[in-house]
Coordinates of all heavy atoms in Angstrom, one line a residue:
M86 N 46.2 -2.6 -7.7 CA 46.7 -2.2 -6.4 C 48.0 -1.5 -6.5 O 49.0 -2.0 -7.1 CB 46.7 -3.4 -5.5 CG 47.2 -3.1 -4.1 SD 47.2 -4.6 -3.2 CE 47.4 -3.9 -1.6
E87 N 48.1 -0.3 -6.0 CA 49.4 0.4 -6.0 C 50.3 -0.1 -4.9 O 49.9 -0.4 -3.8 CB 49.1 1.9 -5.8 CG 48.3 2.6 -6.9 CD 49.0 2.6 -8.2 OE1 50.2 2.8 -8.3 OE2 48.3 2.4 -9.2
P88 N 51.6 -0.2 -5.2 CA 52.6 -0.6 -4.2 C 52.7 0.4 -3.1 O 52.5 1.6 -3.3 CB 53.9 -0.8 -4.9 CG 53.7 0.1 -6.1 CD 52.2 0.1 -6.4
H89 N 53.1 0.0 -1.9 CA 53.3 0.9 -0.7 C 54.5 1.8 -1.0 O 55.6 1.3 -1.4 CB 53.5 0.1 0.5 CG 54.0 1.0 1.7 ND1 53.1 1.8 2.3 CD2 55.2 1.1 2.3 CE1 53.8 2.5 3.2 NE2 55.1 2.1 3.2
E90 N 54.3 3.1 -0.8 CA 55.4 4.0 -1.0 C 55.4 4.9 0.3 O 54.5 5.5 0.7 CB 55.1 5.0 -2.2 CG 55.2 4.2 -3.4 CD 54.7 5.0 -4.7 OE1 54.1 6.0 -4.5 OE2 55.0 4.5 -5.8
P91 N 56.5 4.7 1.0 CA 56.6 5.4 2.3 C 56.7 6.9 2.2 O 57.1 7.5 1.2 CB 57.9 4.9 2.9 CG 58.7 4.5 1.7 CD 57.8 4.1 0.7
D92 N 56.3 7.6 3.3 CA 56.5 9.0 3.4 C 58.0 9.2 3.6 O 58.6 8.6 4.4 CB 55.7 9.6 4.6 CG 55.7 11.1 4.7 OD1 56.8 11.7 4.4 OD2 54.7 11.6 5.1
L93 N 58.6 10.1 2.8 CA 60.1 10.4 2.9 C 60.5 10.8 4.3 O 61.6 10.5 4.7 CB 60.5 11.4 1.9 CG 60.9 10.8 0.5 CD1 61.2 11.9 -0.4 CD2 62.0 9.9 0.6
T94 N 59.6 11.5 5.0 CA 60.0 11.9 6.4 C 60.2 10.8 7.3 O 60.8 10.9 8.4 CB 59.0 13.0 6.9 OG1 57.7 12.3 7.0 CG2 59.0 14.2 6.1
D95 N 59.7 9.6 7.0 CA 59.8 8.4 7.8 C 61.0 7.6 7.4 O 61.3 6.6 8.1 CB 58.6 7.5 7.6 CG 57.3 8.1 8.1 OD1 57.4 9.0 9.0 OD2 56.2 7.8 7.7
I96 N 61.7 8.0 6.4 CA 62.9 7.2 5.9 C 64.2 7.9 6.4 O 64.5 9.1 6.1 CB 62.9 7.2 4.4 CG1 61.6 6.6 3.8 CG2 64.1 6.4 3.9 CD1 61.4 5.2 4.2
P97 N 65.0 7.2 7.2 CA 66.3 7.8 7.6 C 67.2 8.0 6.3 O 67.2 7.2 5.4 CB 66.9 6.7 8.5 CG 65.8 5.8 8.8 CD 64.8 5.9 7.8
V98 N 68.0 9.0 6.3 CA 68.9 9.2 5.2 C 69.8 8.1 5.0 O 70.2 7.8 3.8 CB 69.7 10.6 5.4 CG1 70.7 10.4 6.5 CG2 70.3 11.0 4.1
T99 N 70.2 7.3 6.0 CA 71.0 6.1 5.8 C 70.4 5.1 4.9 O 71.1 4.4 4.1 CB 71.4 5.5 7.1 OG1 70.2 5.2 7.8 CG2 72.3 6.4 8.0
I100 N 69.1 5.0 4.9 CA 68.3 4.0 4.0 C 68.4 4.6 2.6 O 68.6 3.8 1.6 CB 66.9 3.9 4.5 CG1 66.8 3.3 5.9 CG2 66.1 3.0 3.4 CD1 67.4 1.9 6.0
V101 N 68.2 5.9 2.4 CA 68.3 6.5 1.1 C 69.7 6.3 0.5 O 69.9 5.8 -0.6 CB 68.0 8.0 1.1 CG1 68.2 8.6 -0.2 CG2 66.5 8.2 1.6
L102 N 70.7 6.5 1.3 CA 72.1 6.4 0.9 C 72.5 4.9 0.6 O 73.2 4.6 -0.4 CB 73.1 6.9 1.9 CG 73.0 8.4 2.1 CD1 73.9 8.8 3.3 CD2 73.5 9.1 0.9
A103 N 72.0 4.0 1.4 CA 72.2 2.6 1.1 C 71.6 2.1 -0.2 O 72.2 1.4 -1.0 CB 71.6 1.7 2.3
A104 N 70.4 2.7 -0.5 CA 69.8 2.3 -1.8 C 70.6 2.9 -3.0 O 70.7 2.2 -4.0 CB 68.3 2.9 -1.8
L105 N 71.2 4.0 -2.8 CA 72.0 4.6 -3.9 C 73.4 4.1 -4.0 O 74.1 4.3 -4.9 CB 72.1 6.1 -3.6 CG 70.8 6.9 -3.8 CD1 70.9 8.3 -3.3 CD2 70.3 6.9 -5.2
A106 N 73.8 3.2 -3.0 CA 75.1 2.7 -3.0 C 75.4 1.5 -4.0 O 76.5 1.2 -4.2 CB 75.5 2.2 -1.6
D107 N 74.3 1.0 -4.6 CA 74.4 -0.1 -5.5 C 74.5 0.5 -7.0 O 73.8 1.4 -7.3 CB 73.2 -1.0 -5.4 CG 73.3 -2.1 -6.4 OD1 73.8 -3.2 -6.0 OD2 72.8 -2.0 -7.5
D108 N 75.4 0.0 -7.8 CA 75.7 0.5 -9.1 C 74.4 0.4 -10.0 O 74.2 1.3 -10.8 CB 76.9 -0.2 -9.8 CG 78.2 0.2 -9.2 OD1 78.3 1.3 -8.6 OD2 79.2 -0.6 -9.3
V109 N 73.7 -0.7 -9.9 CA 72.5 -0.9 -10.8 C 71.5 0.1 -10.4 O 70.9 0.8 -11.2 CB 72.0 -2.3 -10.7 CG1 70.7 -2.5 -11.5 CG2 73.0 -3.3 -11.4
R110 N 71.2 0.2 -9.1 CA 70.2 1.2 -8.6 C 70.6 2.6 -9.0 O 69.8 3.4 -9.4 CB 70.0 1.0 -7.1 CG 69.3 -0.3 -6.8 CD 68.7 -0.3 -5.4 NE 69.7 -0.4 -4.4 CZ 70.2 -1.6 -3.9 NH1 69.8 -2.7 -4.3 NH2 71.1 -1.5 -2.9
L111 N 71.9 2.9 -8.9 CA 72.4 4.2 -9.3 C 72.1 4.5 -10.8 O 71.7 5.6 -11.2 CB 73.8 4.4 -9.0 CG 74.4 5.8 -9.1 CD1 73.6 6.8 -8.3 CD2 75.9 5.7 -8.6
Q112 N 72.3 3.4 -11.6 CA 72.0 3.6 -13.1 C 70.5 3.8 -13.3 O 70.2 4.7 -14.1 CB 72.4 2.3 -13.8 CG 73.9 2.1 -14.0 CD 74.2 0.8 -14.7 OE1 73.7 -0.2 -14.4 NE2 75.0 0.9 -15.7
I113 N 69.7 3.2 -12.5 CA 68.2 3.4 -12.6 C 67.9 4.8 -12.3 O 67.2 5.5 -13.0 CB 67.5 2.4 -11.8 CG1 67.6 0.9 -12.4 CG2 66.0 2.7 -11.7 CD1 67.1 -0.2 -11.5
V114 N 68.4 5.3 -11.1 CA 68.2 6.6 -10.7 C 68.7 7.7 -11.7 O 68.0 8.6 -12.0 CB 68.8 6.9 -9.3 CG1 68.7 8.4 -8.9 CG2 68.0 6.0 -8.2
R115 N 69.8 7.4 -12.3 CA 70.3 8.3 -13.3 C 69.4 8.4 -14.5 O 69.1 9.4 -15.1 CB 71.7 7.9 -13.8 CG 72.8 8.3 -12.8 CD 74.2 8.1 -13.3 NE 75.2 8.7 -12.4 CZ 76.1 8.0 -11.9 NH1 76.3 6.7 -12.2 NH2 77.0 8.6 -11.0
A116 N 68.9 7.2 -14.9 CA 67.9 7.2 -16.0 C 66.6 7.9 -15.7 O 66.1 8.7 -16.5 CB 67.6 5.8 -16.4
L117 N 66.2 7.7 -14.5 CA 64.9 8.4 -14.0 C 65.1 9.9 -13.9 O 64.2 10.7 -14.1 CB 64.5 7.8 -12.7 CG 63.9 6.4 -12.8 CD1 63.7 5.9 -11.3 CD2 62.7 6.3 -13.6
A118 N 66.4 10.3 -13.5 CA 66.6 11.8 -13.3 C 66.5 12.5 -14.7 O 66.4 13.8 -14.6 CB 68.0 11.9 -12.7
E119 N 66.6 11.8 -15.8 CA 66.4 12.5 -17.0 C 65.0 13.0 -17.2 O 64.7 13.8 -18.1 CB 66.8 11.6 -18.2 CG 68.3 11.3 -18.2 CD 68.7 10.2 -19.2 OE1 67.8 9.8 -20.0 OE2 69.8 9.8 -19.2
G120 N 64.1 12.6 -16.4 CA 62.7 13.1 -16.4 C 61.7 12.1 -16.9 O 62.0 11.1 -17.5
G121 N 60.4 12.4 -16.4 CA 59.3 11.5 -16.9 C 59.2 10.2 -16.2 O 60.0 9.9 -15.3
E122 N 58.3 9.4 -16.7 CA 58.1 8.1 -16.2 C 58.7 7.1 -17.1 O 58.7 7.3 -18.3 CB 56.6 7.8 -16.0 CG 55.9 8.6 -15.0 CD 54.4 8.3 -14.9 OE1 53.7 8.2 -15.9 OE2 53.9 8.0 -13.8
H123 N 59.1 6.0 -16.6 CA 59.7 4.9 -17.4 C 59.1 3.6 -17.0 O 58.8 3.4 -15.8 CB 61.2 4.8 -17.1 CG 62.0 6.0 -17.5 ND1 62.7 6.1 -18.6 CD2 62.2 7.2 -16.8 CE1 63.3 7.3 -18.7 NE2 63.0 8.0 -17.6
A124 N 58.8 2.8 -18.0 CA 58.2 1.5 -17.7 C 59.3 0.6 -17.0 O 60.5 0.7 -17.4 CB 57.8 0.8 -19.0
C125 N 58.9 -0.1 -16.1 CA 59.8 -1.0 -15.3 C 60.7 -1.8 -16.2 O 61.9 -2.0 -16.0 CB 59.1 -1.8 -14.3 SG 58.4 -0.9 -13.0
G126 N 60.1 -2.4 -17.3 CA 60.8 -3.2 -18.2 C 61.8 -2.5 -19.1 O 62.6 -3.2 -19.8
S127 N 61.8 -1.2 -19.0 CA 62.8 -0.5 -19.9 C 64.2 -0.4 -19.3 O 65.1 0.0 -20.0 CB 62.3 0.9 -20.1 OG 62.3 1.7 -18.9
F128 N 64.3 -0.9 -18.1 CA 65.6 -0.9 -17.4 C 66.2 -2.3 -17.6 O 65.9 -3.2 -17.0 CB 65.5 -0.6 -15.9 CG 64.9 0.7 -15.6 CD1 63.6 0.8 -15.1 CD2 65.5 1.9 -15.9 CE1 63.0 2.0 -14.8 CE2 64.9 3.1 -15.6 CZ 63.7 3.2 -15.1
D129 N 67.2 -2.4 -18.5 CA 67.8 -3.7 -18.8 C 69.1 -3.8 -18.0 O 69.2 -4.6 -17.1 CB 68.1 -3.8 -20.3 CG 68.6 -5.2 -20.7 OD1 68.7 -6.1 -19.8 OD2 69.0 -5.3 -21.8
F130 N 70.1 -3.1 -18.3 CA 71.4 -3.1 -17.6 C 72.0 -4.5 -17.5 O 72.8 -4.8 -16.6 CB 71.3 -2.5 -16.3 CG 70.7 -1.1 -16.3 CD1 69.6 -0.8 -15.5 CD2 71.3 -0.1 -17.0 CE1 69.1 0.5 -15.6 CE2 70.8 1.2 -17.1 CZ 69.7 1.5 -16.3
G131 N 71.6 -5.5 -18.3 CA 72.1 -6.8 -18.3 C 71.8 -7.7 -17.1 O 72.5 -8.6 -16.7
I132 N 70.6 -7.4 -16.5 CA 70.2 -8.1 -15.3 C 68.9 -8.8 -15.6 O 68.2 -8.4 -16.5 CB 70.1 -7.2 -14.0 CG1 69.1 -6.0 -14.3 CG2 71.4 -6.6 -13.6 CD1 68.8 -5.1 -13.2
S133 N 68.6 -9.8 -14.7 CA 67.4 -10.6 -14.9 C 66.2 -9.7 -14.5 O 66.3 -8.7 -13.8 CB 67.4 -11.8 -14.1 OG 67.3 -11.6 -12.7
K134 N 65.0 -10.1 -14.9 CA 63.8 -9.5 -14.5 C 63.6 -9.5 -13.0 O 63.2 -8.5 -12.4 CB 62.6 -10.1 -15.2 CG 61.2 -9.5 -14.9 CD 60.1 -10.2 -15.7 CE 58.8 -9.6 -15.3 NZ 57.7 -10.2 -16.0
A135 N 63.9 -10.6 -12.4 CA 63.7 -10.7 -10.9 C 64.7 -9.7 -10.2 O 64.3 -9.1 -9.2 CB 64.0 -12.1 -10.5
T136 N 65.9 -9.6 -10.7 CA 66.9 -8.7 -10.1 C 66.5 -7.3 -10.3 O 66.6 -6.4 -9.4 CB 68.3 -8.9 -10.7 OG1 68.7 -10.3 -10.4 CG2 69.3 -8.0 -10.1
R137 N 66.0 -7.0 -11.5 CA 65.5 -5.6 -11.8 C 64.3 -5.3 -10.8 O 64.3 -4.2 -10.2 CB 65.0 -5.5 -13.2 CG 64.5 -4.1 -13.6 CD 64.0 -4.1 -15.0 NE 63.0 -5.0 -15.3 CZ 63.0 -5.9 -16.3 NH1 64.0 -5.9 -17.2 NH2 62.0 -6.7 -16.5
S138 N 63.4 -6.2 -10.6 CA 62.3 -6.0 -9.7 C 62.7 -5.7 -8.3 O 62.2 -4.9 -7.6 CB 61.3 -7.2 -9.8 OG 60.7 -7.3 -11.0
H139 N 63.8 -6.5 -7.9 CA 64.3 -6.3 -6.6 C 64.9 -4.9 -6.4 O 64.6 -4.2 -5.4 CB 65.4 -7.3 -6.3 CG 66.2 -7.0 -5.1 ND1 65.8 -7.1 -3.8 CD2 67.5 -6.5 -5.0 CE1 66.7 -6.7 -3.0 NE2 67.8 -6.3 -3.7
H140 N 65.7 -4.4 -7.4 CA 66.3 -3.1 -7.3 C 65.2 -2.0 -7.3 O 65.3 -1.0 -6.6 CB 67.3 -2.9 -8.5 CG 68.5 -3.7 -8.3 ND1 69.4 -3.5 -7.2 CD2 69.1 -4.5 -9.1 CE1 70.4 -4.3 -7.4 NE2 70.3 -4.9 -8.5
L141 N 64.2 -2.2 -8.1 CA 63.1 -1.2 -8.1 C 62.4 -1.2 -6.8 O 62.0 -0.1 -6.3 CB 62.2 -1.5 -9.3 CG 62.8 -1.2 -10.7 CD1 61.9 -1.7 -11.8 CD2 63.0 0.3 -10.9
K142 N 62.2 -2.3 -6.2 CA 61.5 -2.4 -4.9 C 62.4 -1.7 -3.8 O 61.9 -0.9 -3.0 CB 61.3 -3.8 -4.5 CG 60.7 -4.0 -3.1 CD 60.5 -5.5 -2.8 CE 60.0 -5.6 -1.3 NZ 60.0 -7.0 -0.9
V143 N 63.7 -1.9 -3.8 CA 64.6 -1.2 -2.9 C 64.5 0.3 -3.0 O 64.4 1.0 -2.1 CB 66.0 -1.7 -3.0 CG1 67.0 -0.9 -2.2 CG2 66.2 -3.2 -2.6
L144 N 64.5 0.8 -4.3 CA 64.4 2.2 -4.5 C 63.1 2.8 -4.0 O 63.0 3.8 -3.4 CB 64.6 2.5 -6.0 CG 66.0 2.3 -6.5 CD1 66.0 2.4 -8.1 CD2 67.0 3.3 -5.9
R145 N 62.0 2.0 -4.3 CA 60.7 2.5 -3.9 C 60.6 2.5 -2.4 O 60.1 3.5 -1.8 CB 59.6 1.6 -4.5 CG 58.2 2.0 -4.2 CD 57.1 1.1 -4.7 NE 57.1 -0.1 -3.9 CZ 57.4 -1.3 -4.3 NH1 57.8 -1.5 -5.5 NH2 57.4 -2.4 -3.5
E146 N 61.0 1.5 -1.7 CA 60.9 1.4 -0.2 C 61.9 2.4 0.5 O 61.6 2.7 1.6 CB 61.2 -0.1 0.2 CG 60.1 -1.0 -0.1 CD 60.3 -2.4 0.3 OE1 61.5 -2.8 0.7 OE2 59.4 -3.2 0.2
A147 N 62.9 2.8 -0.2 CA 63.8 3.8 0.3 C 63.2 5.2 0.0 O 63.9 6.2 0.4 CB 65.2 3.7 -0.3
G148 N 62.1 5.3 -0.6 CA 61.5 6.6 -0.9 C 62.0 7.4 -2.1 O 61.7 8.5 -2.3
L149 N 62.8 6.7 -2.9 CA 63.4 7.4 -4.1 C 62.5 7.5 -5.3 O 62.7 8.3 -6.1 CB 64.7 6.7 -4.4 CG 65.9 6.9 -3.4 CD1 66.9 5.8 -3.5 CD2 66.5 8.3 -3.7
T150 N 61.6 6.5 -5.4 CA 60.7 6.4 -6.6 C 59.3 6.3 -6.2 O 58.9 5.9 -5.1 CB 61.1 5.3 -7.5 OG1 60.9 4.0 -6.8 CG2 62.6 5.3 -8.0
R151 N 58.5 6.6 -7.2 CA 57.0 6.4 -7.2 C 56.7 5.4 -8.3 O 57.3 5.6 -9.4 CB 56.2 7.6 -7.3 CG 56.2 8.5 -6.1 CD 54.9 9.2 -6.0 NE 54.9 10.1 -4.9 CZ 54.7 9.8 -3.6 NH1 54.4 8.6 -3.3 NH2 54.7 10.7 -2.7
T152 N 55.8 4.5 -8.1 CA 55.4 3.5 -9.1 C 53.9 3.6 -9.2 O 53.2 3.7 -8.2 CB 55.8 2.1 -8.7 OG1 57.2 2.1 -8.4 CG2 55.4 1.1 -9.8
R153 N 53.4 3.6 -10.5 CA 52.0 3.6 -10.7 C 51.6 2.6 -11.8 O 52.4 2.3 -12.7 CB 51.4 5.0 -11.1 CG 51.7 5.5 -12.4 CD 51.0 6.8 -12.7 NE 51.3 7.2 -14.1 CZ 50.6 6.9 -15.2 NH1 49.5 6.1 -15.1 NH2 51.0 7.3 -16.4
A154 N 50.5 2.0 -11.6 CA 50.0 1.0 -12.6 C 49.3 1.7 -13.7 O 48.6 2.7 -13.5 CB 49.0 0.1 -11.9
A155 N 49.6 1.2 -14.9 CA 49.0 1.7 -16.1 C 48.6 0.5 -17.0 O 49.5 0.0 -17.7 CB 49.9 2.7 -16.9
G156 N 47.5 0.0 -16.7 CA 47.1 -1.3 -17.4 C 47.9 -2.4 -16.8 O 48.0 -2.6 -15.6
T157 N 48.7 -3.1 -17.6 CA 49.5 -4.2 -17.2 C 50.9 -3.7 -16.9 O 51.8 -4.5 -16.5 CB 49.5 -5.4 -18.2 OG1 50.0 -4.9 -19.4 CG2 48.2 -6.0 -18.3
S158 N 51.2 -2.5 -17.2 CA 52.5 -1.9 -17.0 C 52.7 -1.2 -15.7 O 51.7 -0.8 -15.1 CB 52.9 -0.9 -18.1 OG 52.9 -1.5 -19.4
R159 N 53.9 -1.1 -15.2 CA 54.2 -0.3 -14.0 C 55.1 0.8 -14.5 O 56.2 0.5 -15.1 CB 54.9 -1.2 -12.9 CG 54.0 -2.3 -12.4 CD 52.9 -1.7 -11.5 NE 52.1 -2.7 -11.0 CZ 50.9 -3.1 -11.5 NH1 50.4 -2.5 -12.5 NH2 50.2 -4.0 -10.9
L160 N 54.8 2.0 -14.2 CA 55.6 3.2 -14.5 C 56.3 3.8 -13.3 O 55.6 3.9 -12.3 CB 54.7 4.2 -15.2 CG 54.0 3.7 -16.5 CD1 53.1 4.8 -17.0 CD2 55.0 3.4 -17.6
V161 N 57.5 4.1 -13.4 CA 58.3 4.5 -12.3 C 58.8 5.9 -12.6 O 59.2 6.2 -13.7 CB 59.6 3.6 -12.1 CG1 60.4 4.0 -10.9 CG2 59.1 2.2 -11.9
R162 N 58.9 6.8 -11.5 CA 59.5 8.1 -11.7 C 60.2 8.4 -10.4 O 59.9 7.8 -9.3 CB 58.4 9.2 -12.0 CG 57.5 9.4 -10.8 CD 56.6 10.6 -11.1 NE 55.6 10.8 -10.1 CZ 55.7 11.5 -9.0 NH1 56.9 12.0 -8.7 NH2 54.7 11.6 -8.1
L163 N 61.2 9.3 -10.5 CA 62.0 9.7 -9.4 C 61.2 10.7 -8.6 O 60.5 11.6 -9.1 CB 63.3 10.3 -9.9 CG 64.4 10.7 -8.9 CD1 64.9 9.4 -8.2 CD2 65.6 11.3 -9.7
R164 N 61.3 10.7 -7.3 CA 60.6 11.6 -6.4 C 61.6 12.8 -6.2 O 61.9 13.2 -5.1 CB 60.3 10.9 -5.1 CG 59.2 9.8 -5.2 CD 59.0 9.0 -4.0 NE 58.3 9.8 -3.0 CZ 58.0 9.3 -1.8 NH1 58.2 8.0 -1.5 NH2 57.3 10.0 -0.9
R165 N 62.0 13.4 -7.3 CA 63.1 14.4 -7.2 C 62.7 15.6 -6.4 O 63.5 16.0 -5.5 CB 63.4 14.9 -8.7 CG 64.5 15.9 -8.8 CD 65.8 15.2 -8.6 NE 66.9 16.1 -8.5 CZ 67.9 16.0 -9.3 NH1 67.9 15.2 -10.4 NH2 68.9 16.8 -9.2
D166 N 61.5 16.2 -6.6 CA 61.2 17.4 -5.8 C 61.2 17.1 -4.3 O 61.7 17.9 -3.5 CB 59.8 17.9 -6.2 CG 59.9 18.5 -7.6 OD1 61.0 18.8 -8.1 OD2 58.8 18.6 -8.3
E167 N 60.6 16.0 -3.9 CA 60.5 15.6 -2.5 C 61.9 15.4 -1.9 O 62.2 15.8 -0.8 CB 59.6 14.4 -2.3 CG 58.2 14.6 -2.7 CD 57.5 13.2 -2.8 OE1 57.1 12.7 -1.7 OE2 57.3 12.7 -3.9
L168 N 62.7 14.7 -2.7 CA 64.1 14.4 -2.2 C 64.9 15.6 -2.1 O 65.6 15.8 -1.1 CB 64.8 13.4 -3.2 CG 64.2 12.0 -3.1 CD1 64.6 11.2 -4.3 CD2 64.8 11.3 -1.8
D169 N 64.8 16.5 -3.1 CA 65.5 17.8 -3.0 C 65.1 18.7 -1.8 O 65.9 19.3 -1.2 CB 65.4 18.6 -4.3 CG 66.2 17.9 -5.5 OD1 67.1 17.1 -5.2 OD2 65.9 18.3 -6.6
R170 N 63.8 18.6 -1.5 CA 63.3 19.4 -0.4 C 63.8 18.8 0.9 O 64.2 19.6 1.8 CB 61.8 19.4 -0.4 CG 61.2 20.4 0.5 CD 59.6 20.6 0.3 NE 58.9 19.4 0.0 CZ 58.4 19.0 -1.2 NH1 58.7 19.7 -2.2 NH2 57.7 17.9 -1.3
L171 N 63.8 17.5 1.1 CA 64.2 16.9 2.3 C 65.7 16.8 2.5 O 66.2 17.0 3.6 CB 63.5 15.5 2.4 CG 63.6 14.9 3.8 CD1 62.9 15.7 4.9 CD2 62.9 13.5 3.8
Y172 N 66.4 16.5 1.4 CA 67.8 16.3 1.4 C 68.5 17.2 0.3 O 68.9 16.7 -0.7 CB 68.2 14.8 1.2 CG 67.6 13.9 2.1 CD1 66.7 12.9 1.7 CD2 67.8 13.9 3.5 CE1 66.1 12.0 2.5 CE2 67.2 13.0 4.4 CZ 66.3 12.1 3.9 OH 65.7 11.2 4.7
P173 N 68.5 18.5 0.5 CA 69.0 19.4 -0.5 C 70.4 19.0 -1.0 O 71.3 18.8 -0.2 CB 69.0 20.8 0.2 CG 68.1 20.6 1.4 CD 68.2 19.2 1.8
G174 N 70.6 18.9 -2.3 CA 71.9 18.7 -2.9 C 72.3 17.2 -2.9 O 73.3 16.9 -3.6
L175 N 71.6 16.3 -2.2 CA 72.0 14.9 -2.2 C 72.0 14.3 -3.6 O 73.0 13.7 -4.0 CB 71.1 14.1 -1.2 CG 71.4 12.6 -1.2 CD1 72.7 12.3 -0.6 CD2 70.3 11.9 -0.4
L176 N 70.9 14.4 -4.3 CA 70.8 13.8 -5.6 C 71.8 14.4 -6.6 O 72.4 13.6 -7.3 CB 69.4 13.8 -6.2 CG 68.4 12.8 -5.7 CD1 67.0 13.0 -6.3 CD2 68.9 11.4 -5.9
N177 N 71.9 15.7 -6.5 CA 72.9 16.3 -7.4 C 74.3 15.7 -7.2 O 75.0 15.4 -8.1 CB 72.9 17.8 -7.3 CG 71.7 18.5 -8.0 OD1 71.1 17.9 -8.8 ND2 71.4 19.6 -7.5
A178 N 74.7 15.6 -5.9 CA 76.0 15.1 -5.6 C 76.2 13.6 -6.1 O 77.2 13.3 -6.6 CB 76.2 15.2 -4.1
V179 N 75.1 12.8 -5.9 CA 75.2 11.4 -6.2 C 75.2 11.3 -7.8 O 76.0 10.5 -8.3 CB 74.1 10.6 -5.6 CG1 74.0 9.2 -6.2 CG2 74.3 10.6 -4.1
L180 N 74.3 12.0 -8.4 CA 74.2 11.9 -9.9 C 75.4 12.4 -10.6 O 75.7 12.0 -11.7 CB 72.9 12.6 -10.3 CG 71.6 11.9 -9.8 CD1 70.4 12.8 -10.2 CD2 71.5 10.5 -10.3
N181 N 76.1 13.4 -10.1 CA 77.3 13.9 -10.7 C 78.5 13.2 -10.5 O 79.6 13.5 -11.0 CB 77.4 15.4 -10.3 CG 76.3 16.3 -10.9 OD1 75.8 16.0 -12.0 ND2 75.9 17.3 -10.2
T182 N 78.5 12.2 -9.6 CA 79.6 11.3 -9.3 C 79.6 10.1 -10.2 O 78.6 9.4 -10.3 CB 79.6 10.9 -7.8 OG1 79.6 12.0 -7.0 CG2 80.8 10.0 -7.5
R183 N 80.7 9.9 -10.9 CA 80.8 8.8 -11.8 C 81.4 7.6 -11.1 O 82.4 7.8 -10.4 CB 81.6 9.1 -13.1 CG 81.0 10.1 -13.9 CD 79.8 9.5 -14.6 NE 79.0 10.5 -15.3 CZ 77.7 10.4 -15.4 NH1 77.0 9.4 -15.0 NH2 77.0 11.3 -16.1
T184 N 80.9 6.4 -11.3 CA 81.5 5.2 -10.7 C 82.7 4.8 -11.5 O 82.8 5.0 -12.7 CB 80.4 4.1 -10.7 OG1 80.0 3.8 -12.0 CG2 79.3 4.5 -9.8
A185 N 83.6 4.1 -10.8 CA 84.8 3.6 -11.5 C 84.4 2.4 -12.4 O 83.5 1.6 -12.0 CB 85.8 3.1 -10.4
A186 N 85.0 2.3 -13.6 CA 84.6 1.3 -14.5 C 85.5 0.0 -14.3 O 86.5 0.1 -13.8 CB 84.8 1.8 -15.9

């Protein structure tokens, strides 16, 4: 069963921005922006599996990612084309901003 993925036109930009406001989720989006699909388990960032799952769910429900099942794995990709079409320049601005260490 595939997880629910909302239509981006149904998501207010404030939800997208809130999802991107978390450092861990921003790290995930940066990794996904490099292209292709990534296994959910490949995102470590020093967090627990449950926390990682939560962050991936927030990104999916905010319309930032797509998730597909491949056997027992879940593969995630960024909805870059859709996001760029609906919110031109948003991802570039967010991805090019470095967080304070």
Side-chain angles (χ1 to χ4, degrees):
M86 179 178 192
E87 297 294 323
H89 171 71
E90 293 170 345
D92 186 325
L93 271 175
T94 59
D95 295 336
I96 305 292
V98 70
T99 53
I100 299 296
V101 174
L102 292 171
L105 292 169
D107 181 89
D108 288 338
V109 171
R110 290 193 290 269
L111 190 53
Q112 286 180 311
I113 293 170
V114 170
R115 283 191 173 122
L117 292 172
E119 294 174 6
E122 293 180 312
H123 296 261
C125 290
S127 68
F128 302 108
D129 184 8
F130 307 122
I132 57 176
S133 70
K134 182 179 178 181
T136 301
R137 179 181 60 228
S138 293
H139 166 75
H140 286 304
L141 289 168
K142 178 182 175 187
V143 170
L144 291 171
R145 186 183 70 249
E146 290 179 348
L149 289 157
T150 62
R151 287 217 184 272
T152 304
R153 75 174 179 91
T157 58
S158 296
R159 297 287 179 261
L160 300 173
V161 181
R162 69 174 172 84
L163 190 61
R164 295 171 72 175
R165 183 72 188 244
D166 291 341
E167 297 167 80
L168 288 160
D169 286 344
R170 191 171 42 258
L171 194 58
Y172 306 116
L175 175 67
L176 277 181
N177 285 339
V179 170
L180 294 173
N181 291 326
T182 302
R183 293 289 170 211
T184 56

